[in-house]
Amino acid sequence: MPIDDRQVIIWCREGREEAYRELLTRYESYVYKLSYSLTRHREDALDLTQETFIKILNGLNGFQLHKPFVPWLRQVTINAYIAFLKKKAPPGVSLEHELPGEKTVLRDTLAGPDDLHQEVEWRDTRRILQEATGRLPPIYRMVIYLRHQEEMSYQDIADATGLPLGSVKTYLFRARKHLRQELSQFYGWEVSK
Amino acid sequence: MTCDSDKLQSYLDGELDRGEKQQLEQHLGQCSLCRQELTRLKLFWLELGAAEEITPPPELIYLRQRIISSVKNVPRISEDSGRGFWETQRQVWQPALLGASYIPGVETLSKLGRATRKQIPEVLSMSAAMARFLASRVGKSKGGDR
């Protein structure tokens, strides 16, 4: 019979190494995938995974056992990511100022001069969309991911990220608009006026 | 109600209240442009919701060990009070108990007395010296482990 998370956490609190190993085995892929989706960078995702689990294991005594574990794990990962973004941002520049305005299109955020037109013939829509999402500014990408992959509500995203509710909506809608514009260049995806 | 793509997005996100939802659904019944836009959005939602295939890297196994090593020596609050107390008690009493095990019973004392041709108080004092010696050895070996 599988052992539930609660029991594993109780054993972790007792400092049992095999319980730490079990908890990590269960959730390291989840945290890595979330971290990679947010950072789009393998090494950064590994660093975030390590940082998140160290915080989780050291903070298990404060975890309320009657609550589900995954939302807490996700929250700690998001916190670690936001701290990581702040550390990377140039001094004096807030994360909000890094975000492009309404007129910015995804093309402006491209890291290199890659010509996506040449690749489109043999790439599928999903792949193009994932790549375009990867080129979104970090906050936009985070909001898109939390809404569509983690299926969080606007309010839950605001609570988890510390962003105002209005900003969550704005970033989400802008990000979608950018992504649709990006897609509209291929396969005749239409964008509403 | 006028055509509003943001409203349609909120609708698909499940973020409209009952009144707004009814109003929008009424509008959708009359507006083919919004129905088309809703269909496009639904298709877009499907793509956005599709899970990306991310293969966990092999380094995760090494990372696991590193994480465990970095946290396993941190004292655990919940058990420290309990285990710490008993561990302390064990360490304090162990030498004494070990020494006490070398204090002979009445029958052995008389045997020892006959064998060494000494009085019982002297035999007892020899046993106590032996206990002190053993206790000091235990203390040293514990100190050496640290």
Side-chain angles (χ1 to χ4, degrees), chain A residues 12-15 17 20-21 24-25 28-29 32-34 36-37 40 42-43 46-47 49-51 53-54 57-61 125-126 129-130 133 144-145 147-149 152-155 169 172-173 175-177 179-180 183 189-193, chain B residues 4-16 36-80 83:
Chain A
C12 284
R13 285 175 168 184
E14 291 168 5
E17 190 172 329
Y20 290 151
R21 188 162 287 110
L24 281 158
T25 307
E28 63 196 2
S29 289
Y32 176 79
K33 286 178 183 175
L34 174 56
Y36 183 81
S37 298
R40 312 303 296 186
R42 194 173 180 277
E43 301 306 317
L46 281 167
D47 285 348
T49 304
Q50 176 172 328
E51 203 179 319
F53 272 111
I54 289 174
L57 295 183
N58 283 332
L60 280 176
N61 284 315
T125 309
R126 194 159 293 172
L129 183 62
Q130 283 166 357
T133 306
I144 279 280
Y145 186 86
R147 173 68 202 106
H148 287 282
Q149 297 290 325
M152 292 166 75
S153 69
Y154 299 167
Q155 188 61 55
K169 281 180 73 171
L172 186 61
F173 288 12
R176 283 174 182 155
K177 190 174 178 184
L179 292 174
R180 290 181 80 189
L183 279 178
W189 272 65
E190 290 180 67
V191 182
S192 69
K193 304 281 182 186
Chain B
D4 184 348
S5 179
D6 285 359
K7 204 103 186 171
L8 289 173
Q9 293 190 42
S10 297
Y11 176 68
L12 287 182
D13 284 333
E15 296 278 348
L16 294 185
Q36 282 174 25
E37 169 67 355
L38 188 66
T39 306
R40 283 193 292 267
L41 282 174
K42 280 182 179 173
L43 182 60
F44 186 48
W45 254 234
L46 279 177
E47 295 296 335
L48 286 171
E52 185 180 357
E53 278 187 33
I54 300 169
T55 311
E59 292 99 309
L60 276 184
I61 296 168
Y62 302 106
L63 197 68
R64 193 188 302 161
Q65 197 50 50
R66 203 190 308 166
I67 292 164
I68 291 170
S69 300
S70 69
V71 299
K72 74 177 179 184
N73 293 323
V74 176
R76 306 283 123 198
I77 296 166
S78 63
E79 52 145 14
D80 261 358
R83 184 189 278 184

